[in-house]
Amino acid sequence: MNAPLKNDLYLRALNRETVERTPVWVMRQAGRYLPEYKRVRAQAGNFMNLCSNPELACEVTLQPIDRFNLDAAILFSDILTIPDAMGLELTFETGEGPKFGKPIKSRADVEALPIPDPNDSLQYVMDAVSTIRRELNGRVPLIGFSGSPWTLATYMVEGGGSKDFSKVKGLMFSDPHTMHALLDKNAQAVVSYLNAQVEAGAQALMVFDTWGGVLSPTNYQEFSLRYMQQIVEGVTREADGRKVPITLFTKSGGQWLDLMAKTGCDGLGVDWTIDLADARKRAGDSVALQGNLDPSVLYGSPESIHAEVKKVLDSYGDAPGHVFNLGHGIHQFVNPEHLGVMVEAVRELSTRP
Ligand code: CP3
């Protein structure tokens, strides 16, 4: 049996309940800006070794919780575990980002793709989830996650990161049928992967659609949002008698928050290119919002960090349903003490009498 939750601010805020103070966590909170992370990463040898070792993955997941007392933990893993389990042969070269040895090139490649059984080739992720949940011992909730079908497809077709998305967009425009077949497979794989994470102990879910914002409005709906909708409809929404909230985050997706809210998700991630007051107007009252401090604010002085945190809290206002976060992942060259300043500012400025 897992311990009862001692701090459930994050879950209550996503449920749009009134909370004593605004909960805070940070995308990429376990990562290279932390010297203790770099030590464990060096011990593991490479990034995938770190992800596939449940004890080490657990250790780095807890590092930012221990250091900053954040209000949620996020599974240490990567969105690209799914295509790796599909046989695309993922590697991370130092300083180069992800690469696939066998990217998707044709309709036949899509047809041959297996939908991985999460309790087989992705069992290492489930072991990490259950280990982390046990070691958290009820301190804060554990967030499980995946990439969106579209964002996964960009890496699968480009063979790694991309600046112009020429291959994946080329496929989307010239052969939409194949593109949809790929996205549908990805969506099925994501649903069973997220459900297995909930089964293993994840208490909330997040879908990262890092590249949805490179699409036109109609293509965003057809090639990204539609498949996130399939995920919202397919995932487990309750476990151990408690709601398992799901948050969708499309980077550069501020203009589509109304459409995203209609999927029936619980929370929306918001980047820093839209004011939270506008974001609330667009999203409506059915969802909570997560965000949205510009990650580069952490390069500034402690005084400027304090002032920028205040702006974000003020722009959201007094209504319930805010989870404080950066608008995207923390940069690797940020001074960790500056994140401490941010977290303290959120605590101080958002505490309600
Ligand atoms: O947030 C957390 O602390 C949990 C762990 C997490 C990682 N990646 C660890 C990681 C999460 C939630 C992700 C998600 C992820 N991975 C996304 C979506 C979110 C986003 O940032 O937009 C994407 C697009 C990826 C794919 C990915 N993984 C890339 C492009 C890279 C290389 C770029 C980089 O930052 O170096 C990774 C590697 C990666 N994933 C690292 C970490 C801590 C750095 C690897 C290292 O330690 O060498």
Side-chain angles (χ1 to χ4, degrees), residues 94-138:
T94 318
E96 278 195 42
K99 290 258 174 320
F100 284 114
K102 293 187 176 165
I104 299 290
K105 293 204 162 105
S106 64
R107 171 93 198 173
D109 289 347
V110 173
E111 273 163 11
L113 272 184
I115 293 169
D117 175 351
N119 293 112
D120 182 12
S121 50
L122 291 161
Q123 185 58 42
Y124 69 93
V125 178
M126 307 313 145
D127 292 342
V129 171
S130 51
T131 305
I132 297 162
R133 179 76 193 273
R134 191 187 68 224
E135 293 302 315
L136 273 172
N137 197 26

mmCIF file of all heavy atoms in Angstrom, residues 94-138:
data_model
loop_
_atom_site.group_PDB
_atom_site.id
_atom_site.type_symbol
_atom_site.label_atom_id
_atom_site.label_comp_id
_atom_site.label_asym_id
_atom_site.label_seq_id
_atom_site.Cartn_x
_atom_site.Cartn_y
_atom_site.Cartn_z
ATOM 1 N N THR A 94 26.048 13.034 -26.757
ATOM 2 C CA THR A 94 26.258 14.191 -25.881
ATOM 3 C C THR A 94 26.255 15.486 -26.695
ATOM 4 O O THR A 94 26.963 15.600 -27.694
ATOM 5 C CB THR A 94 27.591 14.053 -25.123
ATOM 6 O OG1 THR A 94 27.692 12.705 -24.693
ATOM 7 C CG2 THR A 94 27.654 14.982 -23.921
ATOM 8 N N GLY A 95 25.439 16.423 -26.259
ATOM 9 C CA GLY A 95 25.384 17.741 -26.888
ATOM 10 C C GLY A 95 24.648 17.771 -28.222
ATOM 11 O O GLY A 95 24.589 18.802 -28.867
ATOM 12 N N GLU A 96 24.107 16.653 -28.659
ATOM 13 C CA GLU A 96 23.485 16.611 -29.991
ATOM 14 C C GLU A 96 21.988 16.357 -29.992
ATOM 15 O O GLU A 96 21.353 16.453 -31.022
ATOM 16 C CB GLU A 96 24.154 15.525 -30.840
ATOM 17 C CG GLU A 96 25.438 16.006 -31.471
ATOM 18 C CD GLU A 96 25.883 15.077 -32.571
ATOM 19 O OE1 GLU A 96 25.023 14.628 -33.354
ATOM 20 O OE2 GLU A 96 27.075 14.778 -32.621
ATOM 21 N N GLY A 97 21.457 15.978 -28.848
ATOM 22 C CA GLY A 97 20.028 15.673 -28.818
ATOM 23 C C GLY A 97 19.737 14.276 -29.338
ATOM 24 O O GLY A 97 20.655 13.529 -29.682
ATOM 25 N N PRO A 98 18.451 13.920 -29.407
ATOM 26 C CA PRO A 98 18.076 12.546 -29.763
ATOM 27 C C PRO A 98 18.272 12.224 -31.246
ATOM 28 O O PRO A 98 18.134 13.092 -32.093
ATOM 29 C CB PRO A 98 16.587 12.499 -29.412
ATOM 30 C CG PRO A 98 16.125 13.926 -29.436
ATOM 31 C CD PRO A 98 17.293 14.776 -29.116
ATOM 32 N N LYS A 99 18.597 10.955 -31.523
ATOM 33 C CA LYS A 99 18.713 10.479 -32.921
ATOM 34 C C LYS A 99 18.062 9.098 -33.008
ATOM 35 O O LYS A 99 18.204 8.296 -32.093
ATOM 36 C CB LYS A 99 20.192 10.281 -33.301
ATOM 37 C CG LYS A 99 20.995 11.546 -33.446
ATOM 38 C CD LYS A 99 21.176 11.906 -34.926
ATOM 39 C CE LYS A 99 21.846 13.240 -35.156
ATOM 40 N NZ LYS A 99 21.465 14.339 -34.291
ATOM 41 N N PHE A 100 17.374 8.843 -34.123
ATOM 42 C CA PHE A 100 16.835 7.500 -34.363
ATOM 43 C C PHE A 100 17.629 6.807 -35.458
ATOM 44 O O PHE A 100 17.814 7.360 -36.549
ATOM 45 C CB PHE A 100 15.358 7.562 -34.756
ATOM 46 C CG PHE A 100 14.458 7.838 -33.590
ATOM 47 C CD1 PHE A 100 13.740 9.018 -33.489
ATOM 48 C CD2 PHE A 100 14.342 6.906 -32.554
ATOM 49 C CE1 PHE A 100 12.922 9.273 -32.399
ATOM 50 C CE2 PHE A 100 13.519 7.146 -31.462
ATOM 51 C CZ PHE A 100 12.818 8.333 -31.391
ATOM 52 N N GLY A 101 18.077 5.577 -35.173
ATOM 53 C CA GLY A 101 18.807 4.780 -36.158
ATOM 54 C C GLY A 101 17.906 4.338 -37.304
ATOM 55 O O GLY A 101 18.367 4.159 -38.433
ATOM 56 N N LYS A 102 16.615 4.120 -37.002
ATOM 57 C CA LYS A 102 15.678 3.653 -38.026
ATOM 58 C C LYS A 102 14.453 4.559 -38.084
ATOM 59 O O LYS A 102 13.363 4.185 -37.640
ATOM 60 C CB LYS A 102 15.227 2.224 -37.697
ATOM 61 C CG LYS A 102 16.325 1.192 -37.801
ATOM 62 C CD LYS A 102 15.732 -0.193 -37.638
ATOM 63 C CE LYS A 102 16.771 -1.275 -37.823
ATOM 64 N NZ LYS A 102 16.279 -2.564 -37.321
ATOM 65 N N PRO A 103 14.595 5.770 -38.651
ATOM 66 C CA PRO A 103 13.431 6.670 -38.723
ATOM 67 C C PRO A 103 12.371 6.143 -39.689
ATOM 68 O O PRO A 103 12.641 5.252 -40.502
ATOM 69 C CB PRO A 103 14.040 7.977 -39.238
ATOM 70 C CG PRO A 103 15.305 7.605 -39.909
ATOM 71 C CD PRO A 103 15.801 6.358 -39.261
ATOM 72 N N ILE A 104 11.175 6.713 -39.593
ATOM 73 C CA ILE A 104 10.051 6.332 -40.467
ATOM 74 C C ILE A 104 10.235 6.998 -41.830
ATOM 75 O O ILE A 104 10.344 8.226 -41.919
ATOM 76 C CB ILE A 104 8.717 6.818 -39.854
ATOM 77 C CG1 ILE A 104 8.478 6.183 -38.489
ATOM 78 C CG2 ILE A 104 7.549 6.594 -40.800
ATOM 79 C CD1 ILE A 104 8.177 4.728 -38.528
ATOM 80 N N LYS A 105 10.238 6.175 -42.892
ATOM 81 C CA LYS A 105 10.450 6.740 -44.236
ATOM 82 C C LYS A 105 9.298 6.473 -45.204
ATOM 83 O O LYS A 105 9.220 7.099 -46.251
ATOM 84 C CB LYS A 105 11.727 6.132 -44.837
ATOM 85 C CG LYS A 105 12.985 6.558 -44.092
ATOM 86 C CD LYS A 105 14.202 6.441 -45.009
ATOM 87 C CE LYS A 105 15.363 7.249 -44.495
ATOM 88 N NZ LYS A 105 16.394 6.453 -43.898
ATOM 89 N N SER A 106 8.454 5.488 -44.884
ATOM 90 C CA SER A 106 7.450 5.077 -45.877
ATOM 91 C C SER A 106 6.192 4.549 -45.207
ATOM 92 O O SER A 106 6.165 4.293 -44.008
ATOM 93 C CB SER A 106 8.038 3.944 -46.729
ATOM 94 O OG SER A 106 8.265 2.819 -45.889
ATOM 95 N N ARG A 107 5.186 4.381 -46.029
ATOM 96 C CA ARG A 107 3.931 3.773 -45.585
ATOM 97 C C ARG A 107 4.198 2.384 -44.985
ATOM 98 O O ARG A 107 3.631 2.007 -43.962
ATOM 99 C CB ARG A 107 2.995 3.659 -46.788
ATOM 100 C CG ARG A 107 1.742 2.858 -46.571
ATOM 101 C CD ARG A 107 0.596 3.756 -46.157
ATOM 102 N NE ARG A 107 -0.471 2.990 -45.542
ATOM 103 C CZ ARG A 107 -1.521 3.534 -44.967
ATOM 104 N NH1 ARG A 107 -1.639 4.844 -44.912
ATOM 105 N NH2 ARG A 107 -2.459 2.797 -44.425
ATOM 106 N N ALA A 108 5.093 1.630 -45.638
ATOM 107 C CA ALA A 108 5.408 0.277 -45.146
ATOM 108 C C ALA A 108 6.026 0.339 -43.742
ATOM 109 O O ALA A 108 5.729 -0.506 -42.883
ATOM 110 C CB ALA A 108 6.356 -0.421 -46.123
ATOM 111 N N ASP A 109 6.876 1.345 -43.495
ATOM 112 C CA ASP A 109 7.461 1.500 -42.152
ATOM 113 C C ASP A 109 6.365 1.727 -41.106
ATOM 114 O O ASP A 109 6.430 1.205 -39.998
ATOM 115 C CB ASP A 109 8.418 2.705 -42.106
ATOM 116 C CG ASP A 109 9.713 2.460 -42.874
ATOM 117 O OD1 ASP A 109 9.992 1.293 -43.230
ATOM 118 O OD2 ASP A 109 10.442 3.452 -43.129
ATOM 119 N N VAL A 110 5.375 2.541 -41.477
ATOM 120 C CA VAL A 110 4.275 2.816 -40.539
ATOM 121 C C VAL A 110 3.484 1.543 -40.282
ATOM 122 O O VAL A 110 3.170 1.204 -39.137
ATOM 123 C CB VAL A 110 3.349 3.942 -41.080
ATOM 124 C CG1 VAL A 110 2.108 4.103 -40.202
ATOM 125 C CG2 VAL A 110 4.110 5.267 -41.174
ATOM 126 N N GLU A 111 3.190 0.813 -41.357
ATOM 127 C CA GLU A 111 2.405 -0.415 -41.193
ATOM 128 C C GLU A 111 3.127 -1.445 -40.336
ATOM 129 O O GLU A 111 2.504 -2.209 -39.606
ATOM 130 C CB GLU A 111 2.043 -1.001 -42.570
ATOM 131 C CG GLU A 111 0.765 -0.372 -43.086
ATOM 132 C CD GLU A 111 0.540 -0.552 -44.570
ATOM 133 O OE1 GLU A 111 1.272 -1.344 -45.200
ATOM 134 O OE2 GLU A 111 -0.365 0.119 -45.093
ATOM 135 N N ALA A 112 4.457 -1.457 -40.418
ATOM 136 C CA ALA A 112 5.224 -2.454 -39.672
ATOM 137 C C ALA A 112 5.420 -2.090 -38.195
ATOM 138 O O ALA A 112 5.875 -2.911 -37.398
ATOM 139 C CB ALA A 112 6.592 -2.647 -40.338
ATOM 140 N N LEU A 113 5.074 -0.833 -37.848
ATOM 141 C CA LEU A 113 5.314 -0.391 -36.453
ATOM 142 C C LEU A 113 4.463 -1.170 -35.464
ATOM 143 O O LEU A 113 3.237 -1.188 -35.595
ATOM 144 C CB LEU A 113 4.927 1.086 -36.298
ATOM 145 C CG LEU A 113 5.927 2.186 -36.593
ATOM 146 C CD1 LEU A 113 5.274 3.523 -36.240
ATOM 147 C CD2 LEU A 113 7.223 2.007 -35.830
ATOM 148 N N PRO A 114 5.066 -1.745 -34.439
ATOM 149 C CA PRO A 114 4.246 -2.397 -33.409
ATOM 150 C C PRO A 114 3.745 -1.366 -32.388
ATOM 151 O O PRO A 114 4.362 -0.319 -32.226
ATOM 152 C CB PRO A 114 5.257 -3.342 -32.736
ATOM 153 C CG PRO A 114 6.571 -2.643 -32.887
ATOM 154 C CD PRO A 114 6.507 -1.852 -34.180
ATOM 155 N N ILE A 115 2.619 -1.646 -31.753
ATOM 156 C CA ILE A 115 2.194 -0.823 -30.617
ATOM 157 C C ILE A 115 2.748 -1.512 -29.377
ATOM 158 O O ILE A 115 2.339 -2.622 -29.045
ATOM 159 C CB ILE A 115 0.656 -0.698 -30.575
ATOM 160 C CG1 ILE A 115 0.205 0.110 -31.800
ATOM 161 C CG2 ILE A 115 0.197 -0.032 -29.286
ATOM 162 C CD1 ILE A 115 -1.265 0.120 -32.055
ATOM 163 N N PRO A 116 3.732 -0.888 -28.707
ATOM 164 C CA PRO A 116 4.434 -1.611 -27.640
ATOM 165 C C PRO A 116 3.534 -1.950 -26.447
ATOM 166 O O PRO A 116 2.665 -1.155 -26.083
ATOM 167 C CB PRO A 116 5.537 -0.636 -27.205
ATOM 168 C CG PRO A 116 5.445 0.562 -28.052
ATOM 169 C CD PRO A 116 4.234 0.474 -28.909
ATOM 170 N N ASP A 117 3.746 -3.132 -25.895
ATOM 171 C CA ASP A 117 3.078 -3.524 -24.658
ATOM 172 C C ASP A 117 3.850 -2.855 -23.519
ATOM 173 O O ASP A 117 5.025 -3.155 -23.304
ATOM 174 C CB ASP A 117 3.136 -5.058 -24.530
ATOM 175 C CG ASP A 117 2.574 -5.545 -23.194
ATOM 176 O OD1 ASP A 117 2.306 -4.703 -22.311
ATOM 177 O OD2 ASP A 117 2.436 -6.765 -23.048
ATOM 178 N N PRO A 118 3.199 -1.925 -22.782
ATOM 179 C CA PRO A 118 3.945 -1.176 -21.759
ATOM 180 C C PRO A 118 4.518 -2.074 -20.662
ATOM 181 O O PRO A 118 5.489 -1.692 -20.006
ATOM 182 C CB PRO A 118 2.922 -0.192 -21.201
ATOM 183 C CG PRO A 118 1.598 -0.630 -21.679
ATOM 184 C CD PRO A 118 1.793 -1.485 -22.881
ATOM 185 N N ASN A 119 3.911 -3.231 -20.464
ATOM 186 C CA ASN A 119 4.440 -4.111 -19.429
ATOM 187 C C ASN A 119 5.425 -5.123 -19.981
ATOM 188 O O ASN A 119 5.720 -6.146 -19.362
ATOM 189 C CB ASN A 119 3.299 -4.778 -18.661
ATOM 190 C CG ASN A 119 2.514 -3.745 -17.859
ATOM 191 O OD1 ASN A 119 1.365 -3.470 -18.144
ATOM 192 N ND2 ASN A 119 3.179 -3.128 -16.899
ATOM 193 N N ASP A 120 5.961 -4.793 -21.160
ATOM 194 C CA ASP A 120 7.011 -5.637 -21.727
ATOM 195 C C ASP A 120 8.213 -4.732 -22.040
ATOM 196 O O ASP A 120 9.059 -4.503 -21.183
ATOM 197 C CB ASP A 120 6.442 -6.342 -22.979
ATOM 198 C CG ASP A 120 7.447 -7.275 -23.616
ATOM 199 O OD1 ASP A 120 8.479 -7.537 -22.975
ATOM 200 O OD2 ASP A 120 7.209 -7.715 -24.759
ATOM 201 N N SER A 121 8.245 -4.158 -23.244
ATOM 202 C CA SER A 121 9.427 -3.370 -23.616
ATOM 203 C C SER A 121 9.533 -2.041 -22.858
ATOM 204 O O SER A 121 10.567 -1.384 -22.890
ATOM 205 C CB SER A 121 9.414 -3.107 -25.121
ATOM 206 O OG SER A 121 8.163 -2.601 -25.515
ATOM 207 N N LEU A 122 8.467 -1.620 -22.192
ATOM 208 C CA LEU A 122 8.526 -0.374 -21.421
ATOM 209 C C LEU A 122 8.390 -0.637 -19.915
ATOM 210 O O LEU A 122 8.140 0.288 -19.128
ATOM 211 C CB LEU A 122 7.429 0.584 -21.909
ATOM 212 C CG LEU A 122 7.693 1.131 -23.319
ATOM 213 C CD1 LEU A 122 6.417 1.675 -23.960
ATOM 214 C CD2 LEU A 122 8.769 2.214 -23.295
ATOM 215 N N GLN A 123 8.595 -1.882 -19.549
ATOM 216 C CA GLN A 123 8.484 -2.246 -18.129
ATOM 217 C C GLN A 123 9.434 -1.414 -17.256
ATOM 218 O O GLN A 123 9.116 -1.071 -16.119
ATOM 219 C CB GLN A 123 8.770 -3.751 -17.950
ATOM 220 C CG GLN A 123 8.577 -4.284 -16.528
ATOM 221 C CD GLN A 123 7.160 -4.059 -15.991
ATOM 222 O OE1 GLN A 123 6.175 -4.244 -16.707
ATOM 223 N NE2 GLN A 123 7.055 -3.627 -14.732
ATOM 224 N N TYR A 124 10.601 -1.040 -17.822
ATOM 225 C CA TYR A 124 11.554 -0.253 -17.026
ATOM 226 C C TYR A 124 10.961 1.089 -16.573
ATOM 227 O O TYR A 124 11.286 1.595 -15.498
ATOM 228 C CB TYR A 124 12.878 -0.062 -17.789
ATOM 229 C CG TYR A 124 12.822 0.833 -19.020
ATOM 230 C CD1 TYR A 124 13.116 2.188 -18.926
ATOM 231 C CD2 TYR A 124 12.484 0.319 -20.275
ATOM 232 C CE1 TYR A 124 13.076 3.012 -20.047
ATOM 233 C CE2 TYR A 124 12.436 1.133 -21.400
ATOM 234 C CZ TYR A 124 12.731 2.481 -21.276
ATOM 235 O OH TYR A 124 12.676 3.292 -22.378
ATOM 236 N N VAL A 125 10.083 1.655 -17.413
ATOM 237 C CA VAL A 125 9.427 2.915 -17.039
ATOM 238 C C VAL A 125 8.449 2.665 -15.879
ATOM 239 O O VAL A 125 8.386 3.435 -14.910
ATOM 240 C CB VAL A 125 8.687 3.538 -18.242
ATOM 241 C CG1 VAL A 125 7.974 4.828 -17.840
ATOM 242 C CG2 VAL A 125 9.654 3.812 -19.391
ATOM 243 N N MET A 126 7.697 1.546 -15.997
ATOM 244 C CA MET A 126 6.721 1.235 -14.942
ATOM 245 C C MET A 126 7.445 0.935 -13.621
ATOM 246 O O MET A 126 6.971 1.303 -12.545
ATOM 247 C CB MET A 126 5.830 0.047 -15.357
ATOM 248 C CG MET A 126 5.169 0.236 -16.718
ATOM 249 S SD MET A 126 4.393 1.878 -16.901
ATOM 250 C CE MET A 126 4.696 2.188 -18.649
ATOM 251 N N ASP A 127 8.605 0.280 -13.715
ATOM 252 C CA ASP A 127 9.393 0.019 -12.497
ATOM 253 C C ASP A 127 9.875 1.329 -11.880
ATOM 254 O O ASP A 127 9.895 1.477 -10.657
ATOM 255 C CB ASP A 127 10.606 -0.870 -12.820
ATOM 256 C CG ASP A 127 10.175 -2.283 -13.201
ATOM 257 O OD1 ASP A 127 9.023 -2.651 -12.887
ATOM 258 O OD2 ASP A 127 10.979 -3.010 -13.825
ATOM 259 N N ALA A 128 10.265 2.280 -12.738
ATOM 260 C CA ALA A 128 10.681 3.591 -12.209
ATOM 261 C C ALA A 128 9.495 4.255 -11.504
ATOM 262 O O ALA A 128 9.636 4.772 -10.392
ATOM 263 C CB ALA A 128 11.211 4.481 -13.335
ATOM 264 N N VAL A 129 8.306 4.208 -12.131
ATOM 265 C CA VAL A 129 7.119 4.834 -11.520
ATOM 266 C C VAL A 129 6.844 4.235 -10.141
ATOM 267 O O VAL A 129 6.676 4.956 -9.149
ATOM 268 C CB VAL A 129 5.867 4.674 -12.428
ATOM 269 C CG1 VAL A 129 4.599 5.121 -11.692
ATOM 270 C CG2 VAL A 129 6.029 5.463 -13.715
ATOM 271 N N SER A 130 6.830 2.891 -10.048
ATOM 272 C CA SER A 130 6.479 2.306 -8.750
ATOM 273 C C SER A 130 7.563 2.543 -7.708
ATOM 274 O O SER A 130 7.264 2.753 -6.532
ATOM 275 C CB SER A 130 6.118 0.816 -8.878
ATOM 276 O OG SER A 130 7.121 0.141 -9.576
ATOM 277 N N THR A 131 8.832 2.576 -8.140
ATOM 278 C CA THR A 131 9.922 2.865 -7.198
ATOM 279 C C THR A 131 9.806 4.301 -6.680
ATOM 280 O O THR A 131 9.904 4.561 -5.481
ATOM 281 C CB THR A 131 11.289 2.671 -7.900
ATOM 282 O OG1 THR A 131 11.334 1.358 -8.449
ATOM 283 C CG2 THR A 131 12.447 2.837 -6.927
ATOM 284 N N ILE A 132 9.577 5.247 -7.588
ATOM 285 C CA ILE A 132 9.472 6.664 -7.186
ATOM 286 C C ILE A 132 8.288 6.860 -6.235
ATOM 287 O O ILE A 132 8.396 7.511 -5.202
ATOM 288 C CB ILE A 132 9.319 7.580 -8.423
ATOM 289 C CG1 ILE A 132 10.544 7.498 -9.324
ATOM 290 C CG2 ILE A 132 9.079 9.028 -7.998
ATOM 291 C CD1 ILE A 132 10.323 8.014 -10.749
ATOM 292 N N ARG A 133 7.162 6.245 -6.613
ATOM 293 C CA ARG A 133 5.960 6.401 -5.768
ATOM 294 C C ARG A 133 6.228 5.886 -4.350
ATOM 295 O O ARG A 133 5.843 6.524 -3.360
ATOM 296 C CB ARG A 133 4.807 5.657 -6.438
ATOM 297 C CG ARG A 133 3.506 5.686 -5.703
ATOM 298 C CD ARG A 133 2.780 7.019 -5.813
ATOM 299 N NE ARG A 133 1.693 7.069 -4.846
ATOM 300 C CZ ARG A 133 0.471 6.619 -5.078
ATOM 301 N NH1 ARG A 133 0.148 6.164 -6.274
ATOM 302 N NH2 ARG A 133 -0.449 6.648 -4.146
ATOM 303 N N ARG A 134 6.915 4.762 -4.256
ATOM 304 C CA ARG A 134 7.241 4.194 -2.939
ATOM 305 C C ARG A 134 8.166 5.137 -2.173
ATOM 306 O O ARG A 134 7.931 5.463 -1.010
ATOM 307 C CB ARG A 134 7.912 2.828 -3.143
ATOM 308 C CG ARG A 134 8.071 2.018 -1.863
ATOM 309 C CD ARG A 134 8.899 0.757 -2.112
ATOM 310 N NE ARG A 134 10.281 1.107 -2.420
ATOM 311 C CZ ARG A 134 11.009 0.548 -3.395
ATOM 312 N NH1 ARG A 134 10.499 -0.379 -4.182
ATOM 313 N NH2 ARG A 134 12.253 0.932 -3.586
ATOM 314 N N GLU A 135 9.207 5.624 -2.847
ATOM 315 C CA GLU A 135 10.197 6.468 -2.165
ATOM 316 C C GLU A 135 9.659 7.861 -1.830
ATOM 317 O O GLU A 135 10.126 8.493 -0.898
ATOM 318 C CB GLU A 135 11.474 6.583 -3.007
ATOM 319 C CG GLU A 135 12.236 5.265 -3.139
ATOM 320 C CD GLU A 135 12.642 4.678 -1.789
ATOM 321 O OE1 GLU A 135 13.133 5.436 -0.934
ATOM 322 O OE2 GLU A 135 12.437 3.459 -1.592
ATOM 323 N N LEU A 136 8.692 8.348 -2.610
ATOM 324 C CA LEU A 136 8.084 9.642 -2.292
ATOM 325 C C LEU A 136 7.342 9.558 -0.960
ATOM 326 O O LEU A 136 7.209 10.551 -0.240
ATOM 327 C CB LEU A 136 7.094 10.061 -3.383
ATOM 328 C CG LEU A 136 7.650 10.824 -4.570
ATOM 329 C CD1 LEU A 136 6.568 10.984 -5.638
ATOM 330 C CD2 LEU A 136 8.175 12.203 -4.171
ATOM 331 N N ASN A 137 6.822 8.367 -0.682
ATOM 332 C CA ASN A 137 6.173 8.110 0.597
ATOM 333 C C ASN A 137 5.087 9.150 0.911
ATOM 334 O O ASN A 137 4.957 9.604 2.050
ATOM 335 C CB ASN A 137 7.263 8.092 1.690
ATOM 336 C CG ASN A 137 6.773 7.430 2.967
ATOM 337 O OD1 ASN A 137 5.873 6.594 2.919
ATOM 338 N ND2 ASN A 137 7.337 7.833 4.088
ATOM 339 N N GLY A 138 4.356 9.575 -0.142
ATOM 340 C CA GLY A 138 3.232 10.494 0.074
ATOM 341 C C GLY A 138 3.615 11.964 0.215
ATOM 342 O O GLY A 138 2.756 12.798 0.489
#
